[in-house]
Amino acid sequence: MKKLNVSSYAMRTKWIVILLCVVFLLVFGRTVNSPALTKTAIVIGIGVDFDEKTSEFEITTQAVQMLSNTSGTGGQRYDVTTCRGKTISSALDDISQKMGLIVSLAHCEVLFLSKSALKLDHLQIIYPLNTMYALREQAIIVTGSLSPREMLATRIGTTISSPYFLQSAIVNNEGTDGLIKTTAKDLLARSMSRSEATAIPYILPKKLEDQPQNEQEEMKDNYEFDLSRVLVFNHDSSEILDEDLSEILAIFLSETTYGSLNYTAENGSSFEFRILDKGVKTSANGRTIKAEIDLKVDLLDYQFVQTDEILSGATEIIREAAKKLGEQLTDRMKKLHALSLQYGIDFLGLQAKAYQRIGRKLEEHCLDSLSFSPKVKITVKEAA
């Protein structure tokens, strides 16, 4: 084939055109119509409730307002606003009019959903929030014993704002202890899979017995959030798991796990292990699903152990306690499977895993025909 000769003029012209295109994109691509911060309601938490009697949505937002005074110092104010509407968008439009600001969910990290809202099509809840109001796919989903409106209005003793507290505890993993983290993206993926079920944190607000104080007086009506339980659900039903079962389910479902595990022996000896790393491997062989959870821990504390020996990860007593804890967690995984059969909620994702193996031949709603074999192994890090 004859080689083509490109003139130097053509080469120079090509690079000039490319340079002009880059300059055009840099100059005009940055010219976007974005509202000023003074005209925007920076929503940090949003709640979606659904009234089954009236078929109306009750939408609540908590927005942060930056304040300043004549002395040059500033502060923050948290405004909770609620409106109702036949659609989520109409209720948010009313909130925007009531606040006199443009609602933006670009900085929102927490989405409260009521039990009635969880029964609806999750895609039709997330889609308008994501496409029209810029809700992040990584925003966490939570529910609780109170309505979303009451949850957002609850004053937390440590951080005042309940969304800020949940953002710190779950999103930023500060002060966590095996909490489950389910994002908007996770909710859609799991609810639209063959399992059609998932799990989210279930919050129990408790009024503080000892209220915090400032320099002037004791502050009143402050609460704390108990995050030790999990709500498992599908479109038909939902159930609340106890603390022990919620802990192992969080380990099984979450991408990363923080916090500690406690084991108490029959003789009263108590051991606390800190989770360093974990690995979860699930496989399907026909209709049998196997799950292997490998936890790497180190010894955090021990009490009431009848020995004069200084214990460490290399000590036989500690290794035996870790082995017994692994067996205990394995039994809890088996109990989770039994409850999923009892409730008819495939929150372990067994049908989705079997579908990957069997394919379209797998019939719908076949949870009862699947077997589950879990195993939890705990390895204790030896002291250097």
Side-chain angles (χ1 to χ4, degrees), residues 42 64-68 74-77 164:
I42 303 176
V64 59
Q65 299 266 352
M66 306 304 297
L67 305 176
S68 61
Q76 295 177 343
R77 187 182 71 195
Y164 270 162

Side-chain angles (χ1 to χ4, degrees), residues 356-374:
Q356 295 176 8
R357 180 72 176 180
I358 300 174
R360 296 181 179 179
K361 294 181 181 180
L362 185 69
E363 64 274 16
E364 299 279 349
H365 309 298
C366 60
L367 182 60
D368 292 340
S369 68
L370 304 178
S371 60
F372 183 53
S373 178

Side-chain angles (χ1 to χ4, degrees), residues 342-353:
Q342 178 184 338
Y343 300 149
I345 306 174
D346 186 16
F347 51 84
L348 293 172
L350 302 186
Q351 293 179 92
K353 195 64 183 181

Side-chain angles (χ1 to χ4, degrees), residues 160-176:
I160 300 178
S161 167
S162 57
Y164 270 162
F165 167 78
L166 294 172
Q167 179 178 332
S168 298
I170 302 178
V171 179
N172 300 336
N173 302 310
E174 299 172 6
T176 62

Side-chain angles (χ1 to χ4, degrees), residues 71 88 104 110 153 207 217 219 245 248 298 344 368 378 382:
S71 63
I88 295 175
S104 172
V110 182
K207 194 168 184 177
E217 59 183 352
M219 302 170 65
L245 296 179
I248 186 60
D298 66 355
D368 292 340
I378 298 179
E382 296 184 12

